[in-house]
Amino acid sequence: SDLDIELPTNCTDGTYLSTLRHWLKRLLKHEKENVTTYDLVFFQAGVDVIEEDRLGRMSLSSNGVQRRNELVYNFVKESGAGGLVITMG
């Protein structure tokens, strides 16, 4: 990938969503300033970020995951790019 963002283990909704919001806004700004354009957004929408997932390292609530999805879907819509969603673990 071109952009990797480290998050702390057991990251909760607040930290996760504010970080996601920050970077999505920054990516949209780059597109609007013609720094880059996006043809396709590949969204690996896993649920291993949910607090109850014993193999994941995040602690998001179900509402947090739903909000994450909405933020990404809105980003795709605003960017005008195509979107591909893969759901898994």
Side-chain angles (χ1 to χ4, degrees):
S1 83
D2 294 332
L3 178 64
D4 295 314
I5 294 142
E6 191 69 30
L7 290 166
T9 300
N10 296 319
C11 184
T12 58
D13 292 354
T15 302
Y16 186 97
L17 295 172
S18 66
T19 302
L20 179 60
R21 227 178 264 110
H22 166 82
W23 284 102
L24 292 177
K25 284 180 185 177
R26 190 164 175 186
L27 292 170
L28 275 176
K29 181 180 177 190
H30 275 228
E31 184 180 47
K32 289 179 180 174
E33 294 172 349
N34 293 319
V35 174
T36 189
T37 58
Y38 308 109
D39 298 318
L40 178 66
V41 175
F42 185 87
F43 178 31
Q44 190 172 342
V47 293
D48 56 343
V49 295
I50 290 181
E51 184 174 24
E52 292 83 19
D53 188 300
R54 60 187 173 93
L55 300 177
R57 57 180 207 95
M58 300 290 171
S59 293
L60 271 63
S61 67
S62 295
N63 287 338
V65 172
Q66 182 177 351
R67 185 67 187 124
R68 173 203 67 183
N69 295 349
E70 291 168 359
L71 288 169
V72 174
Y73 299 153
N74 288 337
F75 169 81
V76 172
K77 185 177 179 181
E78 283 187 59
S79 72
L84 175 63
V85 179
I86 305 296
T87 58
M88 61 181 76

